[in-house]
Amino acid sequence: MNRQRLATATAILGLLGSLTTGAWTGGPAPGRPAPPTRVTRVPAAPGSTTALSGYAIQSTAKVSDSAAAVSSPGYPATGWHPAGPRSTVLAALLADGVYADPFYSTEQRKIPKSDFQVPWWYRSDFTVADTSERTYLDFSGVISAADVYVDGKRVATTKDVTGAYTHHELDVTSLVRPGTNTVAFRIRPNDPNKSLTMGWIDWLQPPPDENMGIVRDVVVRRGGPVALRDAHVVTKLDVPSLASADLTVKARARNDSDAPVTATVSGSVGSTTFTRTVSLAAHQTKTVTFSPSDVPGLHLTSPKVWWPAGMGGQPLYDLNLTASVSGTPSDTAHETFGIRDVQAPLNSDGARQYRVNGRKLLIKGGGWSPDEFLRWDRRYVEDRLRYALDLGLNTIRLEGHLEPDEFFDLADRYGILTLPGWECCDKWEGQVNGDEPGDRWTPADYPVAKASMAAEAARLRDHPSVVSFLIGSDFAPDATIEKNYLDALRAADWNTPVVAAASDNSSPQSGSSGMKMTGPYDWIPPNYWYAKREGGATGFNSETSAGPDIPTLDTLRRMMTPAELDTLWKNPSAKQYHRSPSSTFGTLKLYDDALTGRYGAPTGLTDYVRKAQLAQYENVRAQFEAYERNATDAAKPSTGVVYWMFNSGWTSLHWQLMDRYLDQGGAYFGAKKANEPLHVQYSYDDRSVVVVDNRHTAASGLNVRATLFDPDGTQRYDKTVTGVNVHGDGAHTTALTLPSSVSGLAKTYLLRLTLTDGSGKEVGRNVYWLSTEPDTLDWAHTDWYYTPTTGYADLKGLASMAQVPVSATASTVSSAGTSTTTVTLRNTGGGRTPSLLTDVHLVDARGRPVLPVRWSDNEVSLWPGESVTLTARYRTADLHGSAPRLRVSGWNTPEHTVPAA
């Protein structure tokens, strides 16, 4: 993120000011036993890979025994804490009940940061029955560095094992004994400004341990004399025909014995098999390659092509390899890959335009945040990726914090494109970012960075969901750093675009990034997005949003005290701990001033939250709609937009389309509305009513109706246009343009757009609340994070809308662990007033939201007599045994709850 002028340091230091006396200091409670023994059984099968199942951890300040003792089998880890196989220190302590919920109020401030400024021990035991096979430790994800010990012997130092992304393979064959063995890591404290690891910048209040620990699996590998490594497939798809593809299989065969050997490497892709004999001198490594020139079956006709979601299917292929010596398997390798082609040239305006399999697409994405404590929860990740599809997004951007392999496996399966890259604002860009945070590099950092790039390239290259790597974020690397990155990528056979930066920067070899990072990051009005300047809808905006995204009242009550909630709506200038450690984003003043200026001062917490949902709906919708409308423009088209951010790693008040608990509000449903496959929308800049077709197929014979109403439902304007046609693949057509003035129209008014097919069936609806007094932007005083607003749209007339009853009838069916609730809403009011932004929340018997849930639509607006049927899909188990209920509320709809069983 573009963080010039951020003053995070003082805010982060403020964490130290509220430490409480009597807090846990790292030592065991009196009489605390050793954690349960978790011994991982490692089979002898050649090619087996077994992740260590868990650890016991302890601060070195509480351990006086020698490293040799700590790392030896049978060591009594009395008073130590259990930790999962992927766990930071603080994540383990939270799981062990040492601290209160850090997501609530300011509890995280009470955790003593000093406890994590010394190394911590991680130890784990594993057993082997047969030591005739070779044994290796294989790992990455150590934050920030570690000395590594096996059975009392040091096998690597912090000089060797440093950096969150570097990959390490240690041959420990000579140390492993039959029975129980011990692996121990002495983890060094993390400082992202000093090490090439991970930091949080201004996304959230950084964890007191700075994520020190081991956050990826430590794997024990077994094998014979010849190891297979670096197995992968280079694909070349014929574009645009997609009629054929060439596959090149590569792997390194490594002789780890002291004598020459002859190995047979055999493999298969689908029904195609291949084999080769390789002679290897002692400790020699050779690359084994199979290509269509020697294996005709690797030239595929009619290949199964992988597509992003909504553009086609997501078929995957399997590569299987075996290395044998004298007929005995020595090692195996398996990779899953997809066949697709990605190009991202610069268009005539210098913007990066992505093409997948020859077809252009508008990148519509969100910035990904892992859990603040880097806890991996596959189901939670999968739930969020399903939300991305539900929102009509096609891309997730990872600025650093590159998730484990399963994340990319899921993205492959769901057809979600990913844009991984290095992060800004710490050591990663310290050499090129001037006076921004992050130490300048020393000679020791360059090989760590190159090794990190090599490791991630090897890990990500076979995933069809990965369509680029951003080797810079706010800044592009200099010539030396870039060369190291590119050399590593080429050596890994990386065959998708490499982007110099997420900002408008260039690097010597990669050239222009073709992206912009012009903000905004704080509140701006909806009409901002339509200007083809700054962060508006032109080019590729790698991270942008209108800043705050206030969650639902349910979530606010889970994350803040009553006193904090009182301050939230009463005091715009108050520092908000759950917004950001940055002084720039420390308060909600810009947002709250706009909320009051446009909608009127909040009268209480509930009123504040309902106005926030209305404001977030209109703004997020406008952001995506503007980029979609401009995607096929002849001049200065939009090519990509990444909402900053898709989600938050903790309980937050900004930068999120859904909250920590996966609840959905105005931001979520505004994005979902904007990204409909076939969509009718209003343009804030020129009053045009446009139909956008995000499907591949064209649409014809559509009817577009635009109607203007006063808030009380009085109709002031109505026009229908028939026979509207629109091409697919993101094309748009203008159906009509609203007049600049309409006689008698109220200062605050409503616009209802309906889209019907040739038979008259409604296939789309969109409702706007607008003003004859537009928001006025002060472009001349644009800052890096927002453009000032000198005059607000007057939407206060919405407060005059009469209360309108909305009835709800519902039923639920369940099958195979999934429930579907169908609800019909009807505006039963007797007058003319519509129900605006009527929300339906699925709740359990205690009134708690059932989450996650995927609605067909929500936050809908209905005119008297109108009805709509919605569906909600969710896991039956999330009802916790109760019958489902529906809580109906809205801008002008009294809240009530109805049964949905």
Side-chain angles (χ1 to χ4, degrees):
M1 175 184 172
N2 194 330
R3 295 140 176 119
Q4 291 94 332
R5 306 178 185 85
L6 286 190
T8 59
T10 54
I12 294 171
L13 288 173
L15 286 171
L16 297 174
S18 60
L19 302 182
T20 59
T21 59
W24 178 81
T25 58
R32 181 187 179 93
T37 301
R38 301 180 183 181
V39 180
T40 303
R41 189 182 70 83
V42 175
S48 66
T49 58
T50 308
L52 296 180
S53 60
Y55 302 88
I57 71 169
Q58 184 57 282
S59 167
T60 58
K62 302 297 177 182
V63 178
S64 58
D65 298 310
S66 68
V70 170
S71 60
S72 294
Y75 176 77
T78 305
W80 289 41
H81 303 272
R86 306 170 184 174
S87 178
T88 66
V89 172
L90 188 49
L93 299 181
L94 290 170
D96 204 22
V98 175
Y99 304 116
D101 179 7
F103 288 155
Y104 180 71
S105 184
T106 57
E107 288 295 326
Q108 186 169 255
R109 281 180 170 165
K110 300 175 183 177
I111 301 173
K113 194 171 185 180
S114 59
D115 286 348
F116 312 107
Q117 293 173 345
V118 299
W120 277 67
W121 279 111
Y122 278 60
R123 70 182 311 279
S124 180
D125 292 334
F126 68 93
T127 63
V128 297
D130 181 3
T131 57
S132 63
E133 300 290 344
R134 304 195 69 83
T135 305
Y136 311 84
L137 285 182
D138 190 305
F139 59 91
S140 63
V142 174
I143 301 177
S144 66
D147 296 302
V148 186
Y149 296 81
V150 173
D151 291 349
K153 304 292 185 181
R154 188 169 69 181
V155 294
T157 69
T158 54
K159 183 180 178 181
D160 307 310
V161 179
T162 185
Y165 300 105
T166 54
H167 174 248
H168 308 277
E169 184 182 29
L170 306 177
D171 189 336
V172 295
T173 303
S174 63
L175 298 176
V176 171
R177 66 195 74 173
T180 301
N181 296 268
T182 299
V183 179
F185 292 78
R186 185 165 55 197
I187 308 287
R188 189 174 66 187
N190 184 39
D191 183 341
N193 284 328
K194 298 182 181 300
S195 301
L196 294 169
T197 54
M198 299 183 193
W200 289 100
I201 307 88
D202 49 9
W203 302 1
L204 44 72
Q205 298 290 352
D209 72 338
E210 295 287 0
N211 294 134
M212 69 182 296
I214 303 175
V215 298
R216 293 183 182 171
D217 287 338
V218 175
V219 172
V220 180
R221 286 177 173 261
R222 305 301 304 279
V226 174
L228 281 177
R229 298 292 183 265
D230 201 36
H232 61 285
V233 181
V234 180
T235 65
K236 183 172 178 56
L237 177 65
D238 185 63
V239 175
S241 75
L242 311 185
S244 65
D246 287 336
L247 311 182
T248 301
V249 175
K250 292 186 177 182
R252 287 186 290 112
R254 186 182 71 208
N255 179 8
D256 285 335
S257 74
D258 296 329
V261 298
T262 298
T264 300
V265 179
S266 58
S268 66
V269 173
S271 60
T272 298
T273 60
F274 37 86
T275 188
R276 177 159 305 136
T277 300
V278 183
S279 296
L280 297 167
H283 301 293
Q284 184 182 20
T285 300
K286 288 183 180 180
T287 297
V288 183
T289 302
F290 303 93
S291 67
S293 62
D294 54 281
V295 183
L298 293 178
H299 174 78
L300 306 184
T301 56
S302 302
K304 295 179 288 184
V305 177
W306 187 96
W307 288 93
M311 298 177 70
Q314 292 79 45
L316 297 171
Y317 288 81
D318 290 312
L319 165 68
N320 293 290
L321 292 175
T322 300
S324 299
V325 176
S326 300
T328 300
S330 179
D331 201 4
T332 61
H334 172 80
E335 288 291 318
T336 300
F337 66 97
I339 298 174
R340 55 93 177 97
D341 177 81
V342 179
Q343 303 295 325
L346 304 183
N347 66 14
S348 60
D349 298 307
R352 196 164 292 275
Q353 173 66 70
Y354 278 83
R355 295 189 179 99
V356 177
N357 303 331
R359 280 165 54 183
K360 286 184 181 180
L361 78 161
L362 172 69
I363 293 292
K364 296 185 293 183
W368 181 266
S369 175
D371 172 75
E372 177 175 4
F373 308 108
L374 304 184
R375 295 171 294 194
W376 174 258
D377 182 332
R378 178 186 173 92
R379 189 171 81 167
Y380 184 51
V381 169
E382 191 167 10
D383 287 338
R384 283 179 284 168
L385 292 178
R386 284 174 171 170
Y387 269 10
L389 293 181
D390 186 54
L391 288 169
L393 303 182
N394 56 28
T395 303
I396 291 294
R397 180 184 165 212
L398 298 95
E399 186 195 14
H401 302 88
L402 305 182
E403 292 277 38
D405 295 344
E406 295 97 322
F407 175 90
F408 297 96
D409 291 338
L410 289 168
D412 293 345
R413 193 173 93 194
Y414 286 119
I416 299 171
L417 304 179
T418 61
L419 294 173
W422 304 127
E423 65 193 53
C424 86
C425 313
D426 55 22
K427 184 61 175 275
W428 282 102
E429 294 187 340
Q431 190 66 10
V432 295
N433 66 4
D435 59 357
E436 292 293 304
D439 288 1
R440 292 184 66 81
W441 287 21
T442 69
D445 292 313
Y446 290 87
V448 173
K450 185 175 182 179
S452 299
M453 186 73 265
E456 289 305 294
R459 191 171 73 94
L460 300 177
R461 64 192 162 195
D462 276 341
H463 288 284
S465 59
V466 177
V467 292
S468 275
F469 199 94
L470 279 66
I471 56 174
S473 181
D474 289 22
F475 297 87
D478 63 22
T480 302
I481 298 172
E482 180 191 32
K483 182 179 185 304
N484 285 339
Y485 287 155
L486 295 181
D487 286 350
L489 286 160
R490 278 191 289 268
D493 292 324
W494 188 264
N495 66 349
T496 53
V498 178
V499 181
S503 60
D504 184 13
N505 276 303
S506 301
S507 58
Q509 292 187 56
S510 303
S512 172
S513 70
M515 295 188 175
K516 66 178 183 179
M517 192 186 282
T518 46
Y521 299 99
D522 213 326
W523 191 86
I524 44 82
N527 62 346
Y528 172 98
W529 301 109
Y530 285 84
K532 290 194 173 185
R533 57 178 297 177
E534 313 300 341
T538 181
F540 193 119
N541 201 340
S542 68
E543 47 182 63
T544 187
S545 76
D549 287 305
I550 305 300
T552 63
L553 195 55
D554 294 296
T555 291
L556 285 171
R557 286 172 172 156
R558 291 180 71 173
M559 61 186 266
M560 300 172 78
T561 67
E564 290 165 344
L565 292 174
D566 213 34
T567 300
L568 178 65
W569 73 270
K570 287 182 177 178
N571 188 356
S573 297
K575 289 185 178 181
Q576 294 293 341
Y577 185 72
H578 285 269
R579 187 163 187 209
S580 173
S582 161
S583 59
T584 303
F585 303 123
T587 76
L588 291 165
K589 183 168 174 52
L590 283 174
Y591 177 87
D592 288 351
D593 286 353
L595 208 64
T596 295
R598 300 174 87 240
Y599 289 100
T603 59
L605 178 63
T606 300
D607 185 55
Y608 176 81
V609 174
R610 76 180 188 122
K611 286 174 176 171
Q613 303 314 313
L614 208 65
Q616 288 155 199
Y617 187 105
E618 61 165 340
N619 212 316
V620 175
R621 175 178 59 181
Q623 176 176 338
F624 283 107
E625 285 183 339
Y627 273 84
E628 289 194 328
R629 189 200 68 177
N630 292 356
T632 54
D633 284 1
K636 300 181 71 175
S638 55
T639 61
V641 58
V642 177
Y643 189 88
W644 205 250
M645 296 176 68
F646 175 70
N647 68 297
S648 179
W650 83 322
T651 41
S652 181
L653 295 171
H654 78 160
W655 295 345
Q656 56 189 354
L657 290 175
M658 80 288 299
D659 65 42
R660 166 70 191 174
Y661 304 110
L662 302 183
D663 206 355
Q664 308 143 315
Y668 187 97
F669 291 112
K672 182 176 172 68
K673 175 57 64 176
N675 293 318
E676 291 175 319
L678 185 63
H679 182 64
V680 60
Q681 65 185 60
Y682 167 76
S683 305
Y684 282 81
D685 58 341
D686 60 9
R687 304 182 310 283
S688 61
V689 175
V690 170
V691 179
V692 178
D693 189 354
N694 289 308
R695 309 167 307 171
H696 186 47
T697 56
S700 61
L702 301 173
N703 308 305
V704 177
R705 181 182 181 186
T707 314
L708 299 178
F709 302 88
D710 290 346
D712 66 0
T714 301
Q715 183 174 307
R716 298 294 186 181
Y717 172 87
D718 189 43
K719 184 174 182 179
T720 299
V721 176
T722 61
V724 175
N725 303 322
V726 58
H727 296 294
D729 292 330
H732 72 270
T733 188
T734 299
L736 61 97
T737 299
L738 296 178
S740 57
S741 63
V742 173
S743 177
L745 189 65
K747 186 180 294 185
T748 302
Y749 62 95
L750 303 175
L751 165 63
R752 183 184 66 195
L753 301 177
T754 57
L755 184 68
T756 55
D757 62 18
S759 68
K761 178 185 177 182
E762 186 173 297
V763 294
R765 170 182 288 227
N766 212 346
V767 175
Y768 296 80
W769 39 104
L770 303 167
S771 175
T772 57
E773 293 184 5
D775 295 290
T776 305
L777 288 153
D778 182 7
W779 292 105
H781 290 93
T782 295
D783 206 337
W784 68 268
Y785 63 99
Y786 86 119
T787 296
T789 304
T790 56
Y792 295 118
D794 187 350
L795 301 173
K796 300 180 185 69
L798 296 179
S800 68
M801 294 180 71
Q803 293 287 290
V804 172
V806 174
S807 67
T809 56
S811 61
T812 297
V813 295
S814 300
S815 176
T818 299
S819 291
T820 300
T821 294
T822 302
V823 55
T824 298
L825 304 176
R826 182 180 298 276
N827 181 334
T828 57
R832 297 174 300 191
T833 306
S835 63
L836 182 63
L837 219 68
T838 302
D839 174 87
V840 188
H841 253 68
L842 183 76
V843 297
D844 63 16
R846 296 172 58 184
R848 300 172 302 186
V850 177
L851 300 168
V853 59
R854 284 172 289 156
W855 286 95
S856 58
D857 195 6
N858 209 328
E859 301 200 343
V860 295
S861 300
L862 298 171
W863 268 251
E866 287 186 334
S867 64
V868 64
T869 298
L870 313 175
T871 59
R873 290 176 56 82
Y874 52 96
R875 286 186 291 266
T876 306
D878 290 336
L879 286 167
H880 303 294
S882 70
R885 298 174 63 81
L886 295 172
R887 186 177 66 209
V888 182
S889 62
W891 175 258
N892 59 325
T893 297
E895 182 179 307
H896 62 288
T897 302
V898 300

